[in-house]
Structures are given as C-alpha cells and as structure tokens.
Amino acid sequence: DSGVTQTPKHLITATGQRVTLRCSPRSGDLSVYWYQQSLDQGLQFLIQYYNGEERAKGNILERFSAQQFPDLHSELNLSSLELGDSALYFCASSVGRGDNSPLHFGNGTRLTVT
Amino acid sequence: GQQVMQIPQYQHVQEGEDFTTYCNSSTTLSNIQWYKQRPGGHPVFLIQLVKSGEVKKQKRLTFQFGEAKKNSSLHITATQTTDVGTYFCAGGGSQGNLIFGKGTKLSVKP
C-alpha cells in the first residue's frame, strides 16, 4: 500500500461530460502529481502541485484543470470529455518539491468515455 | 521538449534468461529513478541513482547510471515469472519534474 488514495477506481461517462478525480497524498507528502496512462502507453505527465501551488505543467489539455487544497488533497477536473480521454489517471505524491524525490503512486482511476 | 527514450519497448524471455532495458536522455539528468508496474497495477518505485557512474544492486537487479549522467540501464539476472511487468525509467526534467520513458514491457515464459 503506497499510502496514496485515489477515488473513484472506475468512472464511465459519456462524451461531452465533466468528471472530477480525487487524490489524497501520502501523509507528510507536499507534492501531488497527475499522470495519464493510455493503453500500452507510458506515463504522460499532466501537472504538479506543491503545498497548494502549481509547480510544473506538462501536456495538460485546456479542458483539464487541477488544484490542490489546503489539506493537500488534489482534484483533477476533466471537461468536455472525448473518446480519446479514456485512460488510466494516476496520482502520485512525494515529500519534496523537485525531481529528486521518489514518487508514490495511487492505484489510479480508470476513466472510460463512451 | 525534453525526452527520455527507453528501449526496447517489449522483451520476451525464457525464465532463467537475463534481461536488460536501456534509458537515454539528450540532456544531463540530475538523477534517474526506476519504477516497476505489474500488470493491472500502479508504478512502484525501485531505486534512485544520483552520482555519475553509480551502480546499485537489489538481489538479481543491477542498475547503472552513465558517466555523463545521460543514460541508465536496468539488468535482471536469471529472470523469474515474478519479474513480469513494465519497467520505467524517469529522469529529472528541466522544470524540476520527472520525465518518464515509455517503459519496457517484460514477459517471462516459464
């Protein structure tokens, strides 16, 4: 158990809809990262928050947004969903701010857009 | 943008054979990390290398970081069925975030 909690585990929704994925980091970790993993694909970095502030941005679409709350949990909002958004979305947390801290991944949220 | 290339994409081996995956970056990395993702699971941190030329071992797994800190390798000796999964390398990006390679999917035939 990594200590990172992601909900829900599965999400099935229709095109054009909006969903929210939630992540609680490991106790003591200040950084939260969001990654997208499509079938047989690698991990695409979306965005990182550190102690409530956005720290790094990857290939995140404008239809996607995220935030980290004062209690350090994070939410990833996906709107105007398209079929191609179907993927596994991982949240990870780390104790540090930069790239030197190992990441601890949650079990992921599998999103299916029909 | 900054990329971390990983080869091969797939590797099928007979149980007992050795396995190696390679990771290359066009830029110098501050550190390299390796993760393993079992089928249906999430990536799990294996190890971090920081120093130029560093070599670390974990039982049958040997990790190396190149002298120029631009490449790395993971070698598994005498693979077992429990080694099945996808192995990812991840290097420190220019924004201070980790850039993951696409991974090497290892299958082991008993």
Side-chain angles (χ1 to χ4, degrees):
Chain A
D1 181 18
S2 67
V4 177
T5 305
Q6 281 188 255
T7 57
K9 280 183 84 168
H10 302 278
L11 206 46
I12 302 173
T13 189
T15 53
Q17 295 299 304
R18 172 191 166 96
V19 296
T20 298
L21 312 184
R22 184 188 166 101
C23 170
S24 292
R26 229 173 40 134
S27 177
D29 285 357
L30 298 178
S31 275
V32 169
Y33 306 75
W34 287 97
Y35 285 87
Q36 180 193 57
Q37 186 175 47
S38 301
L39 196 63
D40 276 346
Q41 291 292 309
L43 292 156
Q44 296 295 319
F45 170 66
L46 296 178
I47 198 162
Q48 178 202 356
Y49 283 85
Y50 176 78
N51 205 19
E53 300 287 328
E54 181 183 305
R55 187 174 181 280
K57 215 166 184 176
N59 299 322
I60 187 166
L61 300 171
E62 283 193 17
R63 300 183 285 110
F64 296 0
S65 65
Q67 54 183 328
Q68 185 179 29
F69 295 87
D71 67 351
L72 301 177
H73 91 270
S74 177
E75 291 181 357
L76 177 66
N77 300 297
L78 315 176
S79 62
S80 302
L81 285 168
E82 302 174 0
L83 295 177
D85 297 327
S86 295
L88 197 48
Y89 291 84
F90 284 110
C91 167
S93 71
S94 70
V95 63
R97 180 172 54 188
D99 61 359
N100 284 323
S101 304
L103 302 188
H104 301 273
F105 284 81
N107 289 330
T109 292
R110 182 168 294 283
L111 173 66
T112 303
V113 182
T114 62
Chain B
Q2 193 166 6
Q3 283 189 323
V4 172
M5 308 301 292
Q6 196 173 349
I7 56 169
Q9 194 174 353
Y10 301 95
Q11 185 80 56
H12 309 283
V13 300
Q14 193 76 36
E15 190 173 20
E17 291 181 339
D18 292 356
F19 158 76
T20 305
T21 173
Y22 301 90
C23 193
N24 289 286
S25 169
S26 56
T27 58
T28 302
L29 300 169
S30 59
N31 75 103
I32 193 98
Q33 298 178 23
W34 286 91
Y35 293 78
K36 177 183 178 181
Q37 184 177 18
R38 293 183 189 273
H42 59 272
V44 174
F45 172 75
L46 293 177
I47 207 159
Q48 180 183 39
L49 304 171
V50 178
K51 299 177 185 174
S52 167
E54 190 170 11
V55 178
K56 285 189 176 180
K57 291 192 175 186
Q58 286 180 352
K59 296 182 181 177
R60 295 177 295 103
L61 277 61
T62 302
F63 304 84
Q64 294 189 339
F65 200 10
E67 293 290 340
K69 300 180 75 172
K70 287 186 176 183
N71 58 75
S72 181
S73 65
L74 157 59
H75 179 82
I76 302 179
T77 304
T79 54
Q80 300 174 359
T81 54
T82 52
D83 295 325
V84 162
T86 301
Y87 292 84
F88 292 98
C89 63
S94 57
Q95 287 192 71
N97 59 295
L98 277 177
I99 307 293
F100 278 80
K102 288 195 181 299
T104 296
K105 193 170 183 177
L106 172 66
S107 62
V108 179
K109 191 173 180 182

